[in-house]
Amino acid sequence: MSLLPLRPLRFGEIVDGTLQLYRRDFGLYYLAALLAAVGSHLLLQATGIDQVPLPVGDETDPFAAMANVLPDMGTMLVGALAASAIHSVGAIAVCSAMTERIAERPATVAGSYLTALGRLPSVWGALLLAGLIGLACIGALALAVGIVTALASAIGGILGLALAGSAGTALLFAATAFLFGAFFGILPAAVSEGRGPLGALGRSLDLFRAGWLRVTGVMAVAMIVATVPSVAIVGLMGVGGAFAAPEAAGQVSSVGMWLSGIASLAFGALTLPFTVGSAMVLFHDQRVRTEGYDLEARAREMGGD
């Protein structure tokens, strides 16, 4: 028997269902997410990414400072990719644990990670395809926005530039949210249904088309919940000033950087299960709406085929 209601859910019920799913086995999900977060954090520390200085350098030679950090760029890139890979394993493990608990089956952190390792090729393959599609769409849209903004600037001056730039920025944000929603079902399809890369991507797109506005809205809420704590931590620790004014990078203490990293790690492990849970509840809801899954499940409970 499924933990989730076998009927179509309203927007508020989807969010509430995610919170209930999250609270019901909080310790299991948090520990699964925390293990990956710790591994990712330690890798970033080991590669020294957090300690690489921003390229401020000599104003008379703007490329000099950049040249100073180029030798570290390869290590930074490899470290960042490896850290992202570890983070994705944690997300798959959380999804595996939620799959078992939604079906009222027992789940453990170790078992969830074993399942995650088996589903890695499918999830990574689907995410790679989704990333290529997303980059192509956003790149084409950004090019179009740039052309329109340049034309608006030439015709309308500063006012045209401001209006076109604001509209273009809003459009790019909306397109990003739309794409994030379109790929919401990759993780549940690959883990819960055991689909391959193409099957998981196709499954996500099919369910997304059946309720794209609802899916985009819920996943936008999930992304806000996931990013707000990290942004707040960066602001409170004073690290954000280094991005707004690179010359202030040297004023950020090592203790502040360390505390920011630890706090982001802890809060990231809190928000990851909510994001995965949102996708899981949405996936279930879209199945109910598009495939009559509620009727099929009730027929089985009554002794039907």
Side-chain angles (χ1 to χ4, degrees), residues 41-170:
H41 179 74
L42 291 178
L43 180 61
L44 291 176
Q45 292 292 320
T47 54
I49 291 177
D50 292 339
Q51 285 76 42
V52 175
L54 293 173
V56 181
D58 185 2
E59 294 181 358
T60 62
D61 187 1
F63 298 103
M66 183 64 72
N68 291 333
V69 299
L70 280 178
D72 299 313
M73 294 296 289
T75 302
M76 292 173 62
L77 179 60
V78 172
L81 289 175
S84 298
I86 294 174
H87 186 268
S88 70
V89 175
I92 301 171
V94 171
C95 183
S96 174
M98 286 185 173
T99 298
E100 298 302 311
R101 297 305 299 137
I102 287 174
E104 301 286 2
R105 295 189 294 262
T108 63
V109 174
S112 299
Y113 268 89
L114 286 176
T115 301
L117 292 176
R119 301 312 303 164
L120 275 180
S122 295
V123 175
W124 284 357
L127 290 177
L128 177 61
L129 293 173
L132 293 175
I133 294 172
L135 285 175
C137 293
I138 295 298
L141 182 60
L143 179 61
V145 167
I147 293 173
V148 171
T149 302
L151 291 174
S153 175
I155 297 173
I158 296 179
L159 179 60
L161 175 63
L163 291 176
S166 299
T169 300

Side-chain angles (χ1 to χ4, degrees), residues 255-269:
V255 175
M257 293 290 293
W258 183 82
L259 290 176
S260 176
I262 294 299
S264 296
L265 183 154
F267 277 97

Side-chain angles (χ1 to χ4, degrees), residues 17 24 200 251 255 264 289 298:
R24 187 173 185 264
Q251 301 175 8
V255 175
S264 296
R289 291 176 180 273
R298 289 173 184 173

